[in-house]
Amino acid sequence: MVQGDANAGNAGRGERVEGGRGAQRPKILDVAKACGVSPATVSNALANKRQVKAETRELVRRVAIEMGYRPSAAARGLSSRAGRTWSVGLVVGDIENPVVPTIVRGVEEILWASRTSLILCNTDFQQDKKMAYVRSLVDRDIDGLILVSHLFNDMEARSISLLDLPIVTVNRMADEWKTDYVGIDNTAGTRSAVNYLTGMGHRRIAYIKGLHTSTAAEARFDGYLVGIAAAGGDTDPDLVVQGDYTQESGDIATRQLMALDRPPTAIVAANDLMALGVLGALRNLGVSVPGEVSVVGFDDIHMSRHPLINLTTVHYPQHETGAMAARLLLRRIEDGPDELPRSMVLQPSLIVRGTTAPPRDMPGTAGSGPNITV
Amino acid sequence: MVQGDANAGNAGRGERVEGGRGAQRPKILDVAKACGVSPATVSNALANKRQVKAETRELVRRVAIEMGYRPSAAARGLSSRAGRTWSVGLVVGDIENPVVPTIVRGVEEILWASRTSLILCNTDFQQDKKMAYVRSLVDRDIDGLILVSHLFNDMEARSISLLDLPIVTVNRMADEWKTDYVGIDNTAGTRSAVNYLTGMGHRRIAYIKGLHTSTAAEARFDGYLVGIAAAGGDTDPDLVVQGDYTQESGDIATRQLMALDRPPTAIVAANDLMALGVLGALRNLGVSVPGEVSVVGFDDIHMSRHPLINLTTVHYPQHETGAMAARLLLRRIEDGPDELPRSMVLQPSLIVRGTTAPPRDMPGTAGSGPNITV
DNA sequence: TTGTAAGCGTTATCAT
DNA sequence: ATGATAACGCTTACAA
């Protein structure tokens, strides 16, 4: 029973719909009619909100399923003042950066559990694209927003704050903008990497910086500086090269570093992608790792674990970061804006693999075995 | 990896903004009043639809911007019969699989150009999660749907077809379901890989299959079979091992293959991720590549290009696939359902790198230089 | 050129 | 326990 009469009321409208195709989705009124009750009752029966006689409730439910009725999310959001849209925006700079999909996955996992949709925005780190996306998300009445590795200037921050929309920022160091925050202690991360190297006797340690637009990049660099200073390492400015987080920039930086009169005995990169570039360049230059030069990355992307790469790196809990951001956001959405901003700082940890060893001129304890011998 | 302390010392920063907070977003009526015109005029002035006196139009626009007015997407979609929601769903199995982010990026690039939002759904290849996501997308009145590497059984396909929603499937071989389609010639891809190997003299070539739930996996396997048959290669069933597209399964399969009485001289994997597993396993087993065993992958993920990996593989145009899917979808959304289904089959191409060489017992032309020597 | 009013599909507030 | 009816914020006939 109950089959084709959806569309009964609005027949004649769907010109083109000739053969039984294009059966429009039934609306709540269709279900109501089919059940001989009012739309309100259907709504209540389905939402389990008000008291509805068990009998009617069952009837409505059965018919609704039979007809394939599904409430329109848009209509729902429009109605009911407290109505959520059950969707959140996720703004990332570059979905192709290996750390990002893992973060996204962490976010998705949590959101899925509360049946919240994820609107993905890829900004290519362009200011205007970023803002346009945010505006578009707001137009959609999203319940909340997660911003990964993005900086907002005062004007932008102010204009967004006005919306008093639940926001969680990820990988952005604290500023005046009071949003919830998830991140790691970047400084501690690089410092532990440098400490490890100096502990093995390295003194001439190079650093390849990340994109300057990121506060995380600054923090990681600080860790390097502190670590070098603490061990009385070489502070030759030529040992610091600007990169942009891409593999290629790691490659270029390495050629530059190895061309120095006194090349470094170890290279620390601000992320794994650049470290991979370092390894590639060294390989092509015929420099053995870790025999002649040690290499350390930051992030611990999946590929770094590969036996052919086997990169010593600082582990960044990417999945957990995403999951935590989503949890914070959902909590904020439920609690409302009156709670104090929450910060979650996860701890990175050094993972020692095969690209690090004592410097050649100081054959102390051997590393975990040479990784590549050219 | 040590959990972090939560809630840092940013207390004191959050003062509860009591008074002027929560300035709600202005609605069209607010703008109308502020301009002394009717809401209809505001709508028309902003949408540039009907003729509006240039003067009023400018006034309305200025005031709208001043007040920060933005039309509600939900209300817009709900109103106007022809109203699109300017959002599409993108269903993928695993965002962490390296080919996926690149496809996503291709989709995003095109969608962004037409200001259409991307709702990302990660199914983990679970049937129920997949269908739940699709339903949720339909509830949201999305304008269209892109399904990447997903199979739908008849019942599912039928129930979705009823919606007559614009759909583009990616990486799924043709079946009775008439949707637009983007894919590559998978069979030709693996066949070219096998041809290359047999051309160098290989006869005992192993194959690691992809997940059986995917039709692409079947097609790729077919290419292997055809290639082997054409060259009179070894059809020993032990040479075919089932994998699941993960790196780990490539590793396991390789140990199994190399433990055979007569191990293969070459291994073809149904994707790069498994091929990376193969390389890792061979490395750990002390088998030289390509000296003792040649390895070929499929996809050409970013990492395969790395000098330390340097994997010979079949290039799969991931970005272009995503972009093409989005173009097809947008076109379908605009053209309506009456046009015939369109199919787009892109051509894969073999990329010869360093993991392939003639078999040891047949030292013809050497490969492009040994990649790894253990 | 502009205003009025009728939807769009729900949920919420009243009555009954 | 249920049914009218008024929002929700917008677009678009239809009038003026």
Side-chain angles (χ1 to χ4, degrees), chain B residues 13-348:
Chain B
R13 176 224 231 179
E15 320 191 18
R16 214 173 286 198
V17 187
E18 325 221 4
R21 220 255 269 80
Q24 294 301 336
R25 279 205 288 155
K27 313 167 188 330
I28 199 171
L29 191 60
D30 299 321
V31 179
K33 279 178 183 162
C35 294
V37 299
S38 77
T41 299
V42 174
S43 176
N44 287 318
L46 261 32
N48 237 355
K49 272 237 163 174
R50 230 172 24 169
Q51 282 306 340
V52 175
K53 189 167 60 178
E55 207 172 320
T56 8
R57 179 154 40 79
E58 288 318 312
L59 170 67
V60 168
R61 290 206 164 148
R62 218 196 42 223
V63 172
I65 289 177
E66 253 172 36
M67 300 180 64
Y69 168 73
R70 310 227 83 215
S72 147
R76 225 180 207 166
L78 202 50
S79 168
S80 77
R81 169 145 200 65
R84 291 162 56 170
T85 57
W86 300 93
S87 61
V88 312
L90 176 59
V91 178
V92 305
D94 176 17
I95 185 71
E96 293 191 65
N97 181 317
V99 304
V100 176
T102 307
I103 294 177
V104 172
R105 182 70 185 76
V107 170
E108 188 268 349
E109 187 172 305
I110 301 300
L111 291 186
W112 166 249
S114 68
R115 294 303 184 271
T116 300
S117 297
L118 178 47
I119 303 181
L120 181 71
C121 307
N122 196 87
T123 67
D124 301 317
F125 293 111
Q126 289 168 18
Q127 298 288 316
D128 48 346
K129 195 174 175 189
K130 174 189 70 182
M131 287 309 288
Y133 256 134
V134 170
R135 273 192 296 270
S136 140
L137 288 168
V138 171
D139 293 350
R140 293 199 138 74
D141 277 302
I142 50 166
D143 297 331
L145 188 54
I146 298 179
L147 302 167
V148 179
S149 302
H150 274 285
L151 222 50
F152 286 76
N153 64 38
D154 278 1
M155 207 186 65
E156 293 170 339
R158 210 183 332 276
S159 82
I160 297 179
S161 301
L162 283 180
L163 306 167
D164 89 283
L165 175 73
I167 295 180
V168 177
T169 48
V170 176
N171 280 355
R172 166 204 56 88
M173 289 305 288
D175 55 14
E176 330 74 38
W177 194 16
K178 50 177 198 358
T179 72
D180 289 345
Y181 170 72
V182 182
I184 59 172
D185 188 337
N186 285 294
T187 304
T190 20
R191 191 175 44 199
S192 71
V194 172
N195 284 349
Y196 176 67
L197 291 169
T198 56
M200 285 193 300
H202 288 275
R203 284 300 173 273
R204 203 162 161 74
I205 303 173
Y207 186 76
I208 306 177
K209 297 177 72 170
L211 219 53
H212 60 283
T213 59
S214 138
T215 51
E218 299 305 322
R220 290 183 184 184
F221 183 48
D222 286 346
Y224 164 78
L225 292 177
V226 171
I228 293 292
D234 204 331
T235 57
D236 181 351
D238 284 345
L239 290 177
V240 176
V241 183
Q242 179 69 53
D244 64 359
Y245 280 141
T246 66
Q247 186 172 322
E248 195 192 4
S249 76
D251 181 290
I252 295 171
T254 301
R255 292 169 195 283
Q256 187 175 330
L257 286 167
M258 297 312 287
L260 292 176
D261 287 342
R262 294 173 51 232
T265 64
I267 301 178
V268 177
N271 73 342
D272 277 7
L273 225 39
M274 292 196 294
L276 291 179
V278 173
L279 293 178
L282 291 176
R283 161 79 175 201
N284 289 331
L285 290 170
V287 177
S288 80
V289 175
E292 295 175 66
V293 174
S294 287
V295 178
V296 184
F298 200 125
D299 280 346
D300 193 21
I301 62 178
H302 186 251
M303 222 10 79
S304 302
R305 254 163 261 161
H306 192 279
L308 292 181
I309 303 286
N310 205 21
L311 175 71
T312 295
T313 188
V314 179
H315 176 76
Y316 167 35
Q318 307 151 55
H319 185 97
E320 182 58 16
T321 295
M324 194 57 81
R327 283 193 209 100
L328 247 53
L329 186 65
L330 290 175
R331 190 165 150 192
R332 169 69 56 190
I333 290 172
E334 273 147 25
D335 288 1
D338 288 337
E339 299 297 319
L340 287 177
R342 274 180 280 267
S343 282
M344 201 75 222
V345 178
L346 307 175
Q347 284 308 316

Side-chain angles (χ1 to χ4, degrees), chain A residues 78 98 184 189 227 240 251 363 369:
Chain A
L78 243 200
I184 59 173
V240 176
D251 181 292

Side-chain angles (χ1 to χ4, degrees), chain A residues 13 27-28 43 50 69 76 79-80:
Chain A
R13 255 210 208 136
K27 313 163 191 330
I28 199 171
S43 177
R50 228 170 29 168
Y69 167 73
R76 226 178 207 171
S79 171
S80 73

Side-chain angles (χ1 to χ4, degrees), chain A residues 279-280 283 308-309 371-372, chain B residues 305-310 371-372:
Chain A
L279 292 178
R283 161 81 176 201
L308 293 179
I309 304 288
N371 185 36
I372 296 141
Chain B
R305 254 163 261 161
H306 192 279
L308 292 181
I309 303 286
N310 205 21
N371 185 37
I372 296 141

